[in-house]
Amino acid sequence: MKLIDLLVRRLGLTALALAIVTVLAAMTLTGTEAVAQQIQGREVPEEALTGGAVPGGSLGSASDAEMWRAVRGGIQGEVSIPDSKAGILVQSEGENWRNVRNGPLMVYGSWLLLGMIALLALFFVLRGRIKIEAGPSDRTIERFGFIDRFAHWLTATSFVILALTGINLLWGRFVLMPVLGPEAFSWLTIAGKYAHNFLAFPFMLGITLMFVLWVKHNIPNKYDLIWLSKAGGLFTKHSHPPSKKFNAGQKVIFWSTVLGGLSLSLSGIAMMFPFEFDIWAKTFAALNIFGFGLPTEVTAIQEMQLSTLWHGVVSLVLIAIVVAHIYIGSLGMQGAFAAMGSGQVDENWAREHHNLWVAEVRGETPPQYGKHPQPAE
C-alpha cells in the first residue's frame, strides 16, 4: 500500500508539471504569433532584439542615454506658459552651485572668520592694548562731526545685522537648529530674512554717505607707503608713522567697505528682484576686453547662481575685515572709540596717530617723521 501511495503521488506531481509546461508553451506560441502579426511586411534586422532595441528597428531603451544626456546638459525645450525657463527640465549648474556653496564657500569661509578671530586674540595676548604713550591729556580735538558719525553708525549697525543674518543662512541649520529646534530656528531665520532684505537699503545709504563725506581724505599719498612699511607702528612701541586724517590702514578699510559694499548691493539687488538683471553677462563681456575669455551667454538661472555665490564670498571677506576694524577701534587701541563715540578725541592720541592732521587743524608746522610727537600741555 505504501508503494502505491508513493507512485500515485509521483504521478500526480508529474501530471501537474506537464500541465504547467503545456500552458507556458501555449502562451509562448500565442505571443510569438502576435509579434509576427505586428511585424508582418517589415524587415527586422538581426540585431533588433539586442542592445536594448525592440523589433522594427527602434532604439528602445538604448535611446535613454542620449536623451538624458541632452536633458542633463540643459537642453532648452518649448513650453506653453510665459516662463520660458520652465523649458529647461534639468539645470546641471544647480548641482555645481550646491557643491560650491556647501563645500569650499562654507569650509574656507569658516577658516577665514575663525582664523581672523584667532589672529586678533593672539595679537592682543602678545601686544596688549595699544595705549597712548604720552598719556591722556586734558585737551580734546574734534575728529568727526554728527553727520560723519551718523553715516558710520548707520552703515555699521545695518552691516552687523546683515552679517549675522547672512551667517545664519549659511551655517545656521548646522549650528543653531540642533540647539534651538526646528520651529524656533525657522522663526528666527524667517525674521532674519526680512531684516536682511530691508536693512540692505540703510546699508546702501550709509555707504553712499561715507563715500561722499570721506573720499577726499582717502586718496593715497606718499605717507601711506611709510605707514605700511612700519605696519602703522602696531607691532612696535614708540613708532608713529606720519598720517593725515586717515592713515593707510583706515584707507584700506574705507575702500574695502565702499567697493565691497557696492558689489554686495548689486548682487543683493539681483537676488531681491530675481531674473530682472543680467549683471554677470555684462561683467564677463567687460572683462573679456582684457582677454579673460569668459562666457557671455549666461542664462537667467545662472545669473542668480553666480550672484548668490559672489554675494557670499564678498560678504565673508568684508566681515573678516570689519572684525579687525572693530577690534582696533574698541578693545585694541586706547582712545580710538571716542572718534566715533563723542567725536572728540584726546589730543595726545591724535598727535600720535594722525600728527599731520592735527598740525593742519591747529595751523602748526607739519612735524618731521622720526621725531616723537609732543604731548599736549
Side-chain angles (χ1 to χ4, degrees):
M1 293 296 293
K2 293 181 179 180
L3 180 59
I4 294 174
D5 290 340
L6 181 59
L7 292 173
V8 170
R9 291 176 184 175
R10 290 185 176 181
L11 289 174
L13 293 173
T14 303
L16 178 61
L18 290 173
I20 293 174
V21 170
T22 302
V23 172
L24 291 175
M27 292 174 63
T28 303
L29 291 173
T30 302
T32 302
E33 292 177 358
V35 171
Q37 291 177 1
Q38 292 179 6
I39 65 175
Q40 186 176 5
R42 282 186 280 173
E43 184 178 358
V44 181
E46 292 182 4
E47 66 275 9
L49 299 178
T50 62
V54 297
S58 301
L59 293 176
S61 62
S63 63
D64 289 350
E66 294 297 329
M67 179 188 72
W68 287 111
R69 187 174 292 112
V71 170
R72 187 170 178 79
I75 187 173
Q76 175 73 49
E78 295 183 0
V79 291
S80 59
I81 60 177
D83 187 4
S84 61
K85 296 186 296 296
I88 301 178
L89 185 60
V90 175
Q91 204 258 354
S92 297
E93 284 83 356
E95 182 178 359
N96 298 332
W97 172 86
R98 183 179 65 251
N99 291 336
V100 173
R101 180 189 183 277
N102 296 341
L105 183 61
M106 293 184 64
V107 173
Y108 296 133
S110 301
W111 283 110
L112 176 63
L113 298 185
L114 295 176
M116 177 58 74
I117 295 173
L119 284 175
L120 293 175
L122 179 63
F123 178 78
F124 180 77
V125 171
L126 297 178
R127 179 69 167 86
R129 193 179 195 195
I130 302 173
K131 296 183 178 181
I132 303 174
E133 291 187 4
S137 67
D138 57 354
R139 299 176 60 182
T140 61
I141 183 172
E142 184 180 69
R143 179 150 175 80
F144 293 110
F146 172 78
I147 188 65
D148 297 287
R149 287 179 284 128
F150 171 79
H152 173 270
W153 288 115
L154 177 66
T155 308
T157 304
S158 57
F159 179 80
V160 168
I161 299 176
L162 290 171
L164 292 176
T165 53
I167 288 174
N168 177 55
L169 291 176
L170 192 59
W171 287 292
R173 66 190 181 101
F174 302 107
V175 179
L176 291 181
M177 189 166 70
V179 177
L180 301 179
E183 293 184 0
F185 174 73
S186 176
W187 179 89
L188 177 66
T189 303
I190 292 174
K193 172 185 176 295
Y194 285 110
H196 199 95
N197 289 347
F198 285 105
L199 288 177
F201 296 101
F203 175 73
M204 296 177 198
L205 176 60
I207 290 292
T208 304
L209 286 174
M210 287 198 309
F211 178 79
V212 173
L213 292 170
W214 300 338
V215 64
K216 64 181 180 181
H217 299 294
N218 282 277
I219 305 300
N221 56 53
K222 61 181 181 180
Y223 300 109
D224 296 331
L225 297 177
I226 302 175
W227 194 96
L228 291 173
S229 67
K230 301 295 182 180
L234 297 177
F235 298 94
T236 55
K237 296 182 179 181
H238 310 296
S239 176
H240 300 288
S243 173
K244 293 190 175 183
K245 187 166 187 176
F246 287 81
N247 58 43
Q250 292 169 325
K251 290 178 182 179
V252 171
I253 299 293
F254 173 83
W255 288 112
S256 298
T257 304
V258 169
L259 297 179
L262 175 62
S263 183
L264 288 176
S265 300
L266 293 176
S267 57
I269 290 174
M271 289 188 289
M272 282 193 287
F273 303 96
F275 310 116
E276 294 294 332
F277 304 97
D278 54 349
I279 59 175
W280 289 103
K282 295 178 180 178
T283 301
F284 291 163
L287 291 175
N288 286 343
I289 297 175
F290 304 97
F292 281 88
L294 298 171
T296 55
E297 295 294 330
V298 184
T299 66
I301 296 177
Q302 290 172 330
E303 287 275 354
M304 295 299 300
Q305 291 165 342
L306 290 170
S307 292
T308 56
L309 291 178
W310 180 254
H311 197 80
V313 170
V314 177
S315 296
L316 291 173
V317 173
L318 195 55
I319 289 172
I321 293 174
V322 170
V323 166
H325 173 62
I326 292 174
Y327 166 78
I328 291 296
S330 57
L331 179 64
M333 180 178 289
Q334 180 185 13
F337 183 80
M340 283 301 172
S342 63
Q344 301 287 330
V345 295
D346 185 90
E347 187 166 327
N348 284 349
W349 177 90
R351 290 185 182 277
E352 290 179 359
H353 298 287
H354 300 276
N355 56 351
L356 297 177
W357 169 71
V358 174
E360 181 182 348
V361 172
R362 296 297 194 198
E364 302 170 351
T365 302
Q368 296 180 1
Y369 177 63
K371 295 184 177 181
H372 297 301
Q374 298 298 320
E377 298 179 355

mmCIF file of all heavy atoms in Angstrom, residues 160-185:
data_model
loop_
_atom_site.group_PDB
_atom_site.id
_atom_site.type_symbol
_atom_site.label_atom_id
_atom_site.label_comp_id
_atom_site.label_asym_id
_atom_site.label_seq_id
_atom_site.Cartn_x
_atom_site.Cartn_y
_atom_site.Cartn_z
ATOM 1 N N VAL A 160 26.246 94.900 10.660
ATOM 2 C CA VAL A 160 26.334 93.848 11.676
ATOM 3 C C VAL A 160 25.117 92.933 11.597
ATOM 4 O O VAL A 160 25.243 91.694 11.635
ATOM 5 C CB VAL A 160 26.472 94.459 13.077
ATOM 6 C CG1 VAL A 160 26.277 93.399 14.157
ATOM 7 C CG2 VAL A 160 27.842 95.120 13.234
ATOM 8 N N ILE A 161 23.933 93.515 11.464
ATOM 9 C CA ILE A 161 22.723 92.691 11.372
ATOM 10 C C ILE A 161 22.709 91.911 10.060
ATOM 11 O O ILE A 161 22.335 90.725 10.031
ATOM 12 C CB ILE A 161 21.468 93.578 11.496
ATOM 13 C CG1 ILE A 161 21.455 94.278 12.857
ATOM 14 C CG2 ILE A 161 20.197 92.742 11.325
ATOM 15 C CD1 ILE A 161 20.319 95.252 13.044
ATOM 16 N N LEU A 162 23.122 92.538 8.986
ATOM 17 C CA LEU A 162 23.213 91.838 7.708
ATOM 18 C C LEU A 162 24.195 90.677 7.803
ATOM 19 O O LEU A 162 23.936 89.584 7.270
ATOM 20 C CB LEU A 162 23.645 92.807 6.609
ATOM 21 C CG LEU A 162 22.630 93.870 6.187
ATOM 22 C CD1 LEU A 162 23.283 94.883 5.258
ATOM 23 C CD2 LEU A 162 21.421 93.242 5.503
ATOM 24 N N ALA A 163 25.314 90.898 8.471
ATOM 25 C CA ALA A 163 26.315 89.847 8.599
ATOM 26 C C ALA A 163 25.786 88.672 9.421
ATOM 27 O O ALA A 163 25.942 87.502 9.037
ATOM 28 C CB ALA A 163 27.583 90.413 9.238
ATOM 29 N N LEU A 164 25.139 88.965 10.544
ATOM 30 C CA LEU A 164 24.628 87.900 11.411
ATOM 31 C C LEU A 164 23.530 87.097 10.712
ATOM 32 O O LEU A 164 23.511 85.861 10.791
ATOM 33 C CB LEU A 164 24.111 88.496 12.718
ATOM 34 C CG LEU A 164 25.174 89.103 13.644
ATOM 35 C CD1 LEU A 164 24.518 89.751 14.855
ATOM 36 C CD2 LEU A 164 26.180 88.041 14.084
ATOM 37 N N THR A 165 22.622 87.778 10.055
ATOM 38 C CA THR A 165 21.537 87.057 9.367
ATOM 39 C C THR A 165 22.076 86.283 8.165
ATOM 40 O O THR A 165 21.581 85.191 7.852
ATOM 41 C CB THR A 165 20.448 88.035 8.915
ATOM 42 O OG1 THR A 165 21.035 89.104 8.146
ATOM 43 C CG2 THR A 165 19.729 88.631 10.117
ATOM 44 N N GLY A 166 23.094 86.819 7.501
ATOM 45 C CA GLY A 166 23.702 86.098 6.393
ATOM 46 C C GLY A 166 24.450 84.860 6.862
ATOM 47 O O GLY A 166 24.385 83.797 6.232
ATOM 48 N N ILE A 167 25.180 84.989 7.972
ATOM 49 C CA ILE A 167 25.879 83.837 8.539
ATOM 50 C C ILE A 167 24.886 82.754 8.945
ATOM 51 O O ILE A 167 25.134 81.554 8.773
ATOM 52 C CB ILE A 167 26.730 84.288 9.744
ATOM 53 C CG1 ILE A 167 27.943 85.082 9.243
ATOM 54 C CG2 ILE A 167 27.182 83.107 10.586
ATOM 55 C CD1 ILE A 167 28.774 85.687 10.354
ATOM 56 N N ASN A 168 23.741 83.168 9.461
ATOM 57 C CA ASN A 168 22.709 82.202 9.835
ATOM 58 C C ASN A 168 22.220 81.424 8.613
ATOM 59 O O ASN A 168 21.980 80.211 8.684
ATOM 60 C CB ASN A 168 21.547 82.918 10.506
ATOM 61 C CG ASN A 168 20.407 81.971 10.860
ATOM 62 O OD1 ASN A 168 20.606 80.973 11.558
ATOM 63 N ND2 ASN A 168 19.222 82.266 10.368
ATOM 64 N N LEU A 169 22.062 82.116 7.488
ATOM 65 C CA LEU A 169 21.611 81.432 6.278
ATOM 66 C C LEU A 169 22.646 80.420 5.781
ATOM 67 O O LEU A 169 22.292 79.401 5.182
ATOM 68 C CB LEU A 169 21.324 82.452 5.170
ATOM 69 C CG LEU A 169 20.109 83.357 5.388
ATOM 70 C CD1 LEU A 169 20.010 84.384 4.270
ATOM 71 C CD2 LEU A 169 18.827 82.537 5.464
ATOM 72 N N LEU A 170 23.901 80.677 6.059
ATOM 73 C CA LEU A 170 24.949 79.792 5.563
ATOM 74 C C LEU A 170 25.215 78.629 6.513
ATOM 75 O O LEU A 170 25.346 77.482 6.069
ATOM 76 C CB LEU A 170 26.237 80.600 5.349
ATOM 77 C CG LEU A 170 27.360 79.911 4.563
ATOM 78 C CD1 LEU A 170 26.885 79.520 3.171
ATOM 79 C CD2 LEU A 170 28.573 80.821 4.461
ATOM 80 N N TRP A 171 25.302 78.916 7.801
ATOM 81 C CA TRP A 171 25.665 77.865 8.764
ATOM 82 C C TRP A 171 24.578 77.562 9.796
ATOM 83 O O TRP A 171 24.734 76.626 10.584
ATOM 84 C CB TRP A 171 26.919 78.288 9.529
ATOM 85 C CG TRP A 171 28.174 78.237 8.731
ATOM 86 C CD1 TRP A 171 28.806 77.127 8.258
ATOM 87 C CD2 TRP A 171 28.981 79.354 8.333
ATOM 88 N NE1 TRP A 171 29.944 77.479 7.584
ATOM 89 C CE2 TRP A 171 30.091 78.837 7.606
ATOM 90 C CE3 TRP A 171 28.886 80.722 8.509
ATOM 91 C CZ2 TRP A 171 31.076 79.647 7.065
ATOM 92 C CZ3 TRP A 171 29.865 81.531 7.968
ATOM 93 C CH2 TRP A 171 30.943 80.992 7.259
ATOM 94 N N GLY A 172 23.499 78.329 9.799
ATOM 95 C CA GLY A 172 22.527 78.222 10.878
ATOM 96 C C GLY A 172 21.935 76.840 11.060
ATOM 97 O O GLY A 172 21.799 76.353 12.194
ATOM 98 N N ARG A 173 21.576 76.182 9.972
ATOM 99 C CA ARG A 173 20.906 74.875 10.119
ATOM 100 C C ARG A 173 21.851 73.808 10.647
ATOM 101 O O ARG A 173 21.402 72.767 11.132
ATOM 102 C CB ARG A 173 20.293 74.428 8.804
ATOM 103 C CG ARG A 173 21.255 74.123 7.692
ATOM 104 C CD ARG A 173 20.499 73.934 6.391
ATOM 105 N NE ARG A 173 21.350 73.613 5.276
ATOM 106 C CZ ARG A 173 21.520 72.402 4.791
ATOM 107 N NH1 ARG A 173 20.876 71.385 5.347
ATOM 108 N NH2 ARG A 173 22.297 72.179 3.753
ATOM 109 N N PHE A 174 23.157 74.044 10.566
ATOM 110 C CA PHE A 174 24.113 73.087 11.107
ATOM 111 C C PHE A 174 24.496 73.413 12.548
ATOM 112 O O PHE A 174 24.866 72.515 13.297
ATOM 113 C CB PHE A 174 25.382 73.068 10.242
ATOM 114 C CG PHE A 174 25.140 72.733 8.807
ATOM 115 C CD1 PHE A 174 25.215 73.712 7.832
ATOM 116 C CD2 PHE A 174 24.803 71.445 8.420
ATOM 117 C CE1 PHE A 174 24.988 73.415 6.502
ATOM 118 C CE2 PHE A 174 24.564 71.135 7.096
ATOM 119 C CZ PHE A 174 24.652 72.112 6.135
ATOM 120 N N VAL A 175 24.427 74.696 12.917
ATOM 121 C CA VAL A 175 24.889 75.122 14.232
ATOM 122 C C VAL A 175 23.726 75.457 15.166
ATOM 123 O O VAL A 175 23.663 74.968 16.302
ATOM 124 C CB VAL A 175 25.836 76.342 14.113
ATOM 125 C CG1 VAL A 175 26.288 76.807 15.488
ATOM 126 C CG2 VAL A 175 27.033 75.997 13.241
ATOM 127 N N LEU A 176 22.802 76.300 14.690
ATOM 128 C CA LEU A 176 21.728 76.778 15.560
ATOM 129 C C LEU A 176 20.541 75.826 15.634
ATOM 130 O O LEU A 176 19.940 75.678 16.701
ATOM 131 C CB LEU A 176 21.244 78.150 15.091
ATOM 132 C CG LEU A 176 22.215 79.316 15.276
ATOM 133 C CD1 LEU A 176 21.582 80.607 14.779
ATOM 134 C CD2 LEU A 176 22.606 79.450 16.742
ATOM 135 N N MET A 177 20.160 75.224 14.519
ATOM 136 C CA MET A 177 18.955 74.388 14.531
ATOM 137 C C MET A 177 19.035 73.224 15.513
ATOM 138 O O MET A 177 18.059 72.949 16.214
ATOM 139 C CB MET A 177 18.638 73.878 13.124
ATOM 140 C CG MET A 177 17.287 73.180 13.046
ATOM 141 S SD MET A 177 16.701 72.932 11.346
ATOM 142 C CE MET A 177 17.869 71.698 10.791
ATOM 143 N N PRO A 178 20.179 72.531 15.646
ATOM 144 C CA PRO A 178 20.233 71.474 16.671
ATOM 145 C C PRO A 178 20.065 72.005 18.082
ATOM 146 O O PRO A 178 19.621 71.275 18.971
ATOM 147 C CB PRO A 178 21.628 70.869 16.463
ATOM 148 C CG PRO A 178 21.990 71.183 15.055
ATOM 149 C CD PRO A 178 21.391 72.533 14.808
ATOM 150 N N VAL A 179 20.406 73.285 18.305
ATOM 151 C CA VAL A 179 20.300 73.868 19.646
ATOM 152 C C VAL A 179 18.907 74.435 19.895
ATOM 153 O O VAL A 179 18.295 74.184 20.947
ATOM 154 C CB VAL A 179 21.367 74.980 19.830
ATOM 155 C CG1 VAL A 179 21.221 75.639 21.202
ATOM 156 C CG2 VAL A 179 22.763 74.405 19.656
ATOM 157 N N LEU A 180 18.379 75.191 18.921
ATOM 158 C CA LEU A 180 17.092 75.856 19.098
ATOM 159 C C LEU A 180 15.902 74.961 18.770
ATOM 160 O O LEU A 180 14.811 75.184 19.282
ATOM 161 C CB LEU A 180 17.039 77.106 18.209
ATOM 162 C CG LEU A 180 18.112 78.178 18.453
ATOM 163 C CD1 LEU A 180 17.932 79.330 17.468
ATOM 164 C CD2 LEU A 180 18.044 78.693 19.878
ATOM 165 N N GLY A 181 16.113 73.991 17.906
ATOM 166 C CA GLY A 181 14.987 73.189 17.428
ATOM 167 C C GLY A 181 14.459 73.748 16.119
ATOM 168 O O GLY A 181 14.643 74.935 15.820
ATOM 169 N N PRO A 182 13.784 72.905 15.333
ATOM 170 C CA PRO A 182 13.321 73.338 14.006
ATOM 171 C C PRO A 182 12.371 74.523 14.030
ATOM 172 O O PRO A 182 12.481 75.432 13.205
ATOM 173 C CB PRO A 182 12.638 72.089 13.440
ATOM 174 C CG PRO A 182 13.225 70.946 14.207
ATOM 175 C CD PRO A 182 13.505 71.479 15.571
ATOM 176 N N GLU A 183 11.423 74.552 14.942
ATOM 177 C CA GLU A 183 10.416 75.611 14.947
ATOM 178 C C GLU A 183 11.034 76.971 15.292
ATOM 179 O O GLU A 183 10.799 77.973 14.598
ATOM 180 C CB GLU A 183 9.299 75.266 15.931
ATOM 181 C CG GLU A 183 8.463 74.060 15.499
ATOM 182 C CD GLU A 183 7.309 73.804 16.439
ATOM 183 O OE1 GLU A 183 7.174 74.570 17.425
ATOM 184 O OE2 GLU A 183 6.544 72.855 16.194
ATOM 185 N N ALA A 184 11.819 77.017 16.368
ATOM 186 C CA ALA A 184 12.449 78.288 16.764
ATOM 187 C C ALA A 184 13.442 78.743 15.707
ATOM 188 O O ALA A 184 13.514 79.937 15.389
ATOM 189 C CB ALA A 184 13.141 78.129 18.117
ATOM 190 N N PHE A 185 14.175 77.802 15.149
ATOM 191 C CA PHE A 185 15.136 78.164 14.106
ATOM 192 C C PHE A 185 14.419 78.689 12.867
ATOM 193 O O PHE A 185 14.879 79.646 12.232
ATOM 194 C CB PHE A 185 16.003 76.960 13.744
ATOM 195 C CG PHE A 185 16.917 77.205 12.580
ATOM 196 C CD1 PHE A 185 18.037 78.013 12.714
ATOM 197 C CD2 PHE A 185 16.644 76.650 11.333
ATOM 198 C CE1 PHE A 185 18.883 78.255 11.643
ATOM 199 C CE2 PHE A 185 17.474 76.886 10.257
ATOM 200 C CZ PHE A 185 18.593 77.691 10.407
#
